[in-house]
Amino acid sequence: MAVPKRRTSKAKRDMRRSSNMKMDAPALSVCPQCHEPKLPHRVCPNCNYYDGKEVVSAEA
């Protein structure tokens, strides 16, 4: 089993972790039907429309 020979310095540790800080939140677009924010290229969770057509029937 591999065991580190030296303690990892704070600088090296933080450089390794810095790549997570560069990540962005997913971009949001506006639904043309209900004008609510939604993820692009996905069915709107609010009105169930995609590309101007109702994809999932809203029963309840």
Side-chain angles (χ1 to χ4, degrees):
M1 191 166 134
V3 178
K5 210 170 243 194
R6 295 266 178 240
R7 177 179 177 174
T8 305
S9 69
K10 294 173 190 168
K12 279 290 183 186
R13 178 198 66 198
D14 293 343
M15 274 193 278
R16 184 180 66 240
R17 293 178 180 174
S18 71
S19 63
N20 291 335
M21 302 307 273
K22 295 175 189 172
M23 292 182 186
D24 294 331
L28 294 176
S29 60
V30 178
C31 176
Q33 294 290 125
C34 64
H35 307 290
E36 291 289 320
K38 70 173 190 75
L39 290 172
H41 306 287
R42 284 167 180 80
V43 176
C44 176
N46 195 38
C47 66
N48 300 319
Y49 271 74
Y50 181 77
D51 198 24
K53 302 173 203 118
E54 187 174 12
V55 179
V56 181
S57 61
E59 296 174 17

